[in-house]
Structures are given as C-alpha cells and as structure tokens.
C-alpha cells in the first residue's frame, strides 16, 4: 500500500471527476470521452511509473498496459454506441481480454476453475440468448467466451487452495470478476431490460476492475525487489 498507493492517487481523482461531472450519455462528445477515459489514462501512467525497462522485461505487465490502451479506445467507441459504434467497442474490449488472459498465463491450468467459469459463462449466454438477434447472437457468444476465459486464468492464478496466493494475484482475480459483473450489466441493460442505476454499477465495477488488474502487474516487480533484498 505504501509503495503503490501514492501512484494511484491520480486514478482516484480522475474517477471522482467522472462521477462528480456525471456527463449525460445522451449528448456524446470528445470532452465526455476524455472524462470517461481519464481514469484509464491514469492507470497507464501508474504502470509507466514503474519504468520502461520494467515493462520491457516483464511481458505480463506490458500486456496489461496494452490491454488498458485498448480499453480506453473501447471506452471512446462506447460513448458513441447509439451512433453505431457499439460493435467497435466490443471488439476493443475483446482484444483487451485476450491480452489480459495472456498476461495471467496458462500455469497453473486448474481445470476445476475452468469448468466453473465455463458454467458461469454458459449460464450468462443462455440467459441473454433469447434477447439477441442478428450478428449479436454470435458476437456476444464470442465475447462471453473470451471474458470467461480471462476470468478462468485470473482465478486459476490465485491458487487459494494451495496457499500460494499473493495480494497481486488476488487483485487480478477480483478485478476479473468485477469486469464480468460490469459487462454482464451492460449486456442485460442493452439487450434485455433496463437495470436500475445501471450506469453507476457498470462504471464503478469497471474502474475498480481495471485498477485491480493494473495492480496485479506489479507482482513481478515485487518478486524482483524481494530477490534484490536477499
């Protein structure tokens, strides 16, 4: 907390600005896109503050940074989703989940966690299916599969049952779960029925998810510092 907390102060301030201004979604503009993306920009700075050499040396951290970049582009597209840019935003976030999955890695495999996430993802799609039509029938299926896979890799990496977990792995796991809650709320609100306070739920869980996933990138830095001290 002492080492990473101060680097996150700009993110918390930017998040507060977003919720205080609460710009109407009915009148999209480049200013509203900037305000929405500003907390994610701050997470770029958070990772870059650890040094370019650190990002180059640790692929997981650089992939999470790349995921945050695609997320910001996706956020901008979603500002104009009513003008036909929803699919563009969906594509950007699909790439984000691929990058995060790659950052979390495939070890340990943990097939039980994979089965659980598969059941959760299948249940979500089964619920949404009757409300979908046209290309969204397939696009949403692919997207759910990708975010479910990302969630599996985050949960598997935590290794809670083996008592090998770290606070950064826990951050990745909680972040992935919050991301799924945020995206599921978007899907239900867009395709099924209005969700009360949907925007608050979507953005609060989304910003928290991105912060926690960004925090998980510093694990390799933590291990490196530990080796230097010993």
């Amino acid at each position: 907390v002492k080492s990473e907390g101060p680097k996150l102060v700009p993110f918390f301030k930017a998040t507060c600005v977003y919720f205080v201004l609460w710009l109407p979604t009915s009148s999209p503009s480049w200013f509203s896109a900037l305000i929405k993306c500003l907390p994610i920009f701050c997470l770029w700075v958070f990772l870059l503050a650890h040094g370019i050499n650190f990002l180059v040396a640790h692929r997981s951290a650089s992939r999470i940074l790349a995921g945050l970049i695609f997320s910001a582009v996706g956020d901008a597209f979603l500002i104009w989703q009513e003008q036909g840019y929803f699919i563009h935003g969906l594509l950007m976030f699909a790439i984000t989940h691929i990058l995060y999955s790659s950052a979390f890695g495939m070890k340990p495999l943990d097939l039980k966690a994979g089965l659980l996430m598969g059941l959760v993802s299948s249940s979500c799609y089964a619920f949404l299916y009757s409300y979908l039509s046209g290309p969204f029938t397939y696009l949403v299926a692919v997207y759910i599969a990708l975010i479910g896979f990302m969630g599996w890799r985050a949960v598997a990496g935590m290794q809670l049952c083996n008592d090998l977990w770290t606070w950064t792995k826990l951050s990745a796991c909680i972040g992935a779960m919050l991301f799924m809650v945020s995206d599921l709320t978007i899907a239900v609100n867009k395709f099924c029925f209005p969700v009360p306070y949907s925007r608050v739920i979507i953005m609060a869980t989304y910003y928290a998810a991105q912060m926690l996933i960004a925090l998980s990138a510093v694990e390799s830095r933590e291990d490196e510092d530990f080796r230097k001290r010993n």
Side-chain angles (χ1 to χ4, degrees), residues 152-163:
W152 169 31
R153 299 321 309 148
V155 172
M158 190 170 61
Q159 301 185 73
L160 188 60
C161 295
N162 296 327
D163 200 27

Side-chain angles (χ1 to χ4, degrees), residues 24-47:
T25 56
S26 57
S27 54
S29 66
W30 285 108
F31 179 70
S32 59
L34 173 64
I35 295 301
K36 184 182 181 184
C37 295
L38 192 58
I40 307 302
F41 295 158
C42 292
L43 292 178
W44 297 3
V45 175
F46 167 74
L47 289 180

Side-chain angles (χ1 to χ4, degrees), residues 121-138:
S121 299
S122 299
S123 298
C124 291
Y125 183 68
F127 173 77
L128 294 170
Y129 180 77
S130 61
Y131 296 95
L132 302 173
S133 60
F136 285 114
T137 305
Y138 310 102

Side-chain angles (χ1 to χ4, degrees), residues 3 9 13 30 50 59 87 99-100 107 117 134 141 143 186 204 208 217 227:
S3 62
V9 169
K13 289 182 176 180
W30 285 108
H50 290 85
R59 291 182 178 180
I87 292 179
L99 288 165
Y100 286 168
K107 295 181 180 179
M117 292 307 301
Y143 187 86
I186 290 175
R227 286 194 297 272

Side-chain angles (χ1 to χ4, degrees), residues 15-140:
T15 303
C16 288
V17 168
Y18 173 82
F19 283 106
V20 168
L21 292 181
W22 203 241
L23 298 172
T25 56
S26 57
S27 54
S29 66
W30 285 108
F31 179 70
S32 59
L34 173 64
I35 295 301
K36 184 182 181 184
C37 295
L38 192 58
I40 307 302
F41 295 158
C42 292
L43 292 178
W44 297 3
V45 175
F46 167 74
L47 289 180
L48 290 169
H50 290 85
I52 298 297
N53 291 335
F54 166 72
L55 293 172
V56 171
H58 300 92
R59 291 182 178 180
S60 61
S62 60
R63 287 169 183 171
I64 287 176
L65 176 59
L68 288 169
I69 292 171
F70 277 98
S71 293
V73 178
D75 281 331
F77 276 129
L78 291 181
I79 287 287
W80 285 277
Q81 61 177 293
E82 298 303 326
Q83 284 72 38
Y85 288 96
F86 181 80
I87 292 179
H88 298 72
L90 198 70
L91 175 60
M92 292 300 102
F93 279 107
I95 296 172
T96 294
H97 297 317
I98 292 172
L99 288 165
Y100 286 168
S101 299
S102 178
F104 298 150
M106 291 302 296
K107 295 181 180 179
L109 193 59
D110 196 349
L111 293 176
K112 290 182 179 179
L115 178 60
L116 176 61
M117 292 307 301
L119 290 172
V120 171
S121 299
S122 299
S123 298
C124 291
Y125 183 68
F127 173 77
L128 294 170
Y129 180 77
S130 61
Y131 296 95
L132 302 173
S133 60
F136 285 114
T137 305
Y138 310 102
L139 292 174
V140 171

